[in-house]
């Protein structure tokens, strides 16, 4: 999975020694640029990845990550571990290259060519109808 956003926080690195040797990990928080921004904390595990990614607060990044969960004392916890972090050019933030537009982005109206059959309009929910969701 991928998520693009701005790095808004970097936690203190953690390190230790396990049966496999020394390890190092650090957590970061990114915030998306949608109309209602989302935040996600993710972990980068391994000194070589931390050195290669060189993540800093304020950077615009695209994070590729895996989600896994583990159980501890009858409770479940999510683990979001990044396997790739790439810098994004800040000038391209909000530019859609394909797929769906981000929430809150202006929608371009498409005009059918002359002589084309008109498309049927989607039904509009009225007040009091069963479907009164705002979206």
């Amino acid at each position: 999975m991928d998520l693009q956003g701005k790095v808004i926080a970097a936690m203190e690195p953690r390190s230790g020694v396990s049966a496999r040797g020394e390890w190092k990990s650090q957590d970061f928080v990114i915030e998306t640029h949608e109309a209602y921004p989302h935040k996600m904390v993710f972990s980068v595990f391994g000194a070589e990845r931390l050195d290669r990614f060189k993540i800093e607060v304020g950077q615009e990044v695209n994070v590729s990550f895996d989600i896994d969960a583990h159980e501890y004392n009858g409770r479940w916890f999510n683990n979001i571990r990044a396997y790739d972090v790439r810098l994004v050019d800040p000038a391209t933030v909000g530019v859609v290259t394909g797929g769906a537009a981000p929430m809150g982005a202006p929608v371009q109206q498409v005009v059918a060519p002359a002589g084309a059959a008109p498309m049927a309009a989607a039904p509009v929910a009225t007040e009091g109808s069963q479907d009164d969701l705002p979206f």
Side-chain angles (χ1 to χ4, degrees):
M1 299 172 95
D2 289 344
L3 188 66
Q4 182 177 320
K6 182 178 182 179
V7 179
I8 61 170
M11 307 308 138
E12 288 296 319
R14 297 181 312 271
S15 61
V17 179
S18 70
R20 296 182 189 168
E22 291 186 32
W23 58 268
K24 187 173 182 182
S25 177
Q26 188 171 4
D27 293 341
F28 300 91
V29 180
I30 63 170
E31 183 175 50
T32 64
H33 301 288
E34 299 166 329
Y36 299 102
H38 295 94
K39 294 178 181 78
M40 178 183 79
V41 62
F42 65 93
S43 300
V44 175
F45 190 84
E48 67 283 345
R49 284 187 176 151
L50 286 167
D51 292 341
R52 184 177 54 182
F53 299 155
K54 294 181 177 38
I55 303 168
E56 296 179 13
V57 174
Q59 289 178 327
E60 187 68 30
V61 295
N62 186 49
V63 180
S64 300
F65 59 93
D66 289 323
I67 301 175
D68 194 17
H70 65 276
E71 183 266 338
Y72 179 74
N73 288 340
R75 294 188 59 194
W76 284 89
F77 300 89
N78 286 323
N79 183 18
I80 301 174
R81 187 172 288 181
Y83 59 85
D84 192 22
V85 178
R86 297 180 187 254
L87 288 176
V88 175
D89 182 4
T92 63
V93 173
V95 175
V96 178
T97 58
M103 291 177 54
V107 177
Q108 182 178 6
Q109 183 176 2
V110 178
V111 178
M119 292 179 21
V124 177
T126 59
E127 279 193 43
S129 72
Q130 293 295 331
D131 187 13
D132 59 355
L133 297 174
F135 49 90

